[in-house]
């Protein structure tokens, strides 16, 4: 083992685990990762819960109790997932306290079927915050068009938010604007801005997957030479946008009132193409004030052979712009790519949620007590 994870933390990158299950909580594994692998947060999504609950480890008694109460499948899922998030939040509470609320966070997502509906998203976010009832929770809201006003409203209520499924630079700027507008609402309502936190989850590997596929189809040497460059370029330019927004006059007024910056979070950092080094989206996205949420395989790979050499973002903006421009010149539409990825992201989470509904319903029926 190298001490790459410590070096990454020392460079200002918060290491979060992109996974959660009851077994991980009860076995002591999560506590071990916090203690030994510099993990300071946890993210979840519908796919993660679908895998965990379908595997069944540790959920049977709770499901049996829920079946005895004849709850709906939607209520069962909410009770199961919020219990896991609450327990993980308690395990991470010392980190939360030690970092003044910056880390030690656990994220839980609103029902993905609400992704294109603003008012139900706001209501669901309020309900989740109430159900989990831990100060170190982040409510995940997708960065769809309908999600943007929901982000403003929820931040304005003093609820901390993880904005998810961000693929485009334009949408990322809209997300930061929604966050600042929410802080302004919270300030006008007399809330303590120092207690409100947010991260903006900018998805990485899926950008390469989609653009590489299109480059491969073109088949020219010029196209092939650009494979594996789009995702890093996109994320690095997102960091440039973050630096601009959080050095603006608008931000300065909120900063003075005690507000916290919305940190960029690198999501989807597991490498999909085996031709690329498995720590690519960790080693090459090192910048202060960021979060990298990793699947366990990526966390282990980074611990074993990650090459953390300092800031690998801030000196790269010109090269990043050139890479995206070169891809555009080949006829690959950036706007089309990011829209496809957003649509697919929502669809994938909806599909996972529907699978979760089906498997949980089957378990409720299987464990239902005989009448009497």
């Amino acid at each position: 083992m190298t001490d790459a994870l410590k070096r990454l933390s020392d460079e200002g990158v918060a290491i979060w685990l992109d996974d959660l299950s009851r077994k991980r909580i009860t076995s002591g594994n999560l506590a071990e990762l916090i203690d030994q692998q510099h993990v300071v947060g946890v993210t979840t999504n519908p796919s993660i819960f679908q895998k965990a609950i379908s595997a069944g480890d540790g959920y049977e008694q709770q499901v049996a109790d829920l079946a005895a109460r004849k709850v709906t499948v939607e209520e069962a899922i909410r009770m199961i997932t919020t219990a896991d998030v609450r327990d993980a939040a308690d395990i991470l509470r010392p980190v939360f306290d030690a970092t003044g609320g910056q880390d030690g966070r656990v994220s839980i997502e609103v029902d993905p079927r609400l992704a294109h509906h603003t008012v139900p998203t706001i209501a669901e976010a309020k309900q989740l915050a109430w159900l989990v009832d831990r100060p170190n929770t982040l409510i995940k809201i997708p960065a769809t068009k309908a999600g943007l006003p929901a982000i403003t409203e929820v931040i304005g209520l003093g609820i901390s938010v993880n904005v998810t499924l961000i693929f485009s630079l334009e949408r990322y700027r809209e997300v930061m604007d929604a966050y600042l507008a929410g802080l302004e609402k919270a300030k006008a309502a007399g809330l303590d801005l120092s207690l409100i936190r947010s991260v903006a989850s900018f998805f990485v590997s899926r950008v390469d997957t989609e653009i590489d596929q299109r480059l491969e189809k073109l088949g020219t040497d010029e196209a092939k030479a650009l494979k594996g460059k789009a995702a890093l370029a996109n994320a690095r330019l997102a960091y440039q946008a973050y630096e601009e927004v959080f050095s603006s006059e608008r931000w300065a007024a909120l900063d003075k009132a005690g507000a916290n910056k919305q940190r960029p979070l690198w999501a989807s950092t597991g490498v999909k193409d085996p031709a690329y080094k498995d720590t690519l989206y960790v080693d090459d996205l090192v910048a202060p004030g960021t979060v990298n949420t990793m699947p366990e395989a990526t966390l282990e790979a980074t611990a074993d052979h990650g090459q953390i050499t300092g800031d690998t973002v801030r000196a790269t903006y010109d090269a990043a712009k050139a890479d995206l421009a070169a891809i555009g010149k080949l006829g690959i539409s950036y706007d089309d790519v990011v829209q496809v990825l957003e649509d697919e992201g929502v669809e994938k989470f909806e599909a996972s949620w529907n699978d979760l509904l089906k498997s949980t319903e089957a378990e409720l029926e299987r464990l239902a007590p005989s009448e009497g």
Side-chain angles (χ1 to χ4, degrees), residues 273-319:
D273 188 334
Y276 303 152
K277 63 176 178 175
D278 54 3
T279 59
L280 177 67
Y281 305 124
V282 179
D283 297 351
D284 291 8
L285 287 175
V286 178
T290 58
V291 179
N292 195 311
T293 187
M294 308 177 203
E296 191 167 23
T298 305
L299 181 76
E300 287 174 355
T302 304
D304 183 59
H305 53 263
Q307 296 175 313
I308 309 304
T309 57
D311 188 330
T312 49
V313 171
R314 286 186 289 186
T316 66
Y317 300 148
D318 288 344

Side-chain angles (χ1 to χ4, degrees), residues 135-354:
N136 50 331
T137 312
L138 291 170
I139 307 302
K140 283 179 96 171
I141 297 175
T144 55
K145 276 291 183 190
L148 294 170
I151 293 157
T152 295
E153 188 64 30
V154 172
I155 291 289
L157 294 169
I159 297 169
S160 295
V161 172
N162 175 342
V163 184
T164 189
L165 287 177
I166 308 171
F167 295 96
S168 85
L169 294 166
E170 182 187 358
R171 182 57 54 82
Y172 178 43
R173 286 185 180 273
E174 291 173 338
V175 164
M176 289 188 283
D177 181 69
Y179 174 61
L180 296 184
L183 288 175
E184 286 157 355
K185 282 189 84 157
K187 184 182 173 189
L191 299 182
D192 183 350
L193 300 191
S194 71
L195 300 179
I196 303 170
R197 295 279 181 172
S198 184
V199 293
S201 294
F202 203 85
F203 278 52
V204 185
S205 65
R206 293 187 199 182
V207 174
D208 270 344
T209 302
E210 181 65 27
I211 289 182
D212 283 0
Q213 194 178 298
R214 299 185 188 205
L215 290 167
E216 191 64 43
K217 209 172 273 185
L218 290 173
T220 64
D221 289 344
E222 190 184 3
K224 287 178 181 174
L226 288 165
K227 283 180 70 179
K229 294 193 171 179
L232 290 175
N234 200 39
R236 286 163 168 174
L237 293 176
Y239 192 82
Q240 183 184 36
Y242 157 78
E243 287 193 306
E244 285 171 15
V245 169
F246 289 98
S247 59
S248 66
E249 283 183 26
R250 184 184 182 192
W251 167 249
L254 290 162
D255 183 40
K256 201 173 172 186
N260 300 293
K261 291 178 181 178
Q262 181 186 54
R263 287 186 292 171
L265 178 150
W266 310 129
S268 183
T269 55
V271 172
K272 308 286 194 291
D273 188 334
Y276 303 152
K277 63 176 178 175
D278 54 3
T279 59
L280 177 67
Y281 305 124
V282 179
D283 297 351
D284 291 8
L285 287 175
V286 178
T290 58
V291 179
N292 195 311
T293 187
M294 308 177 203
E296 191 167 23
T298 305
L299 181 76
E300 287 174 355
T302 304
D304 183 59
H305 53 263
Q307 296 175 313
I308 309 304
T309 57
D311 188 330
T312 49
V313 171
R314 286 186 289 186
T316 66
Y317 300 148
D318 288 344
K321 281 174 194 159
D323 285 340
L324 289 188
I327 290 164
K329 276 180 191 162
L330 294 178
I332 294 170
S333 165
Y334 177 85
D335 290 342
D336 181 63
V337 165
V338 294
Q339 191 58 57
V340 163
L341 289 170
E342 182 184 303
D343 293 344
E344 279 182 357
V346 172
E347 282 166 20
K348 279 177 186 168
F349 282 169
E350 275 190 26
S352 293
W353 195 258
N354 288 329

Side-chain angles (χ1 to χ4, degrees), residues 86-99:
R86 191 180 306 115
D87 289 345
D90 287 344
I91 293 167
L92 277 154
R93 184 59 190 260
V95 177
F96 174 81
D97 292 337
T99 61

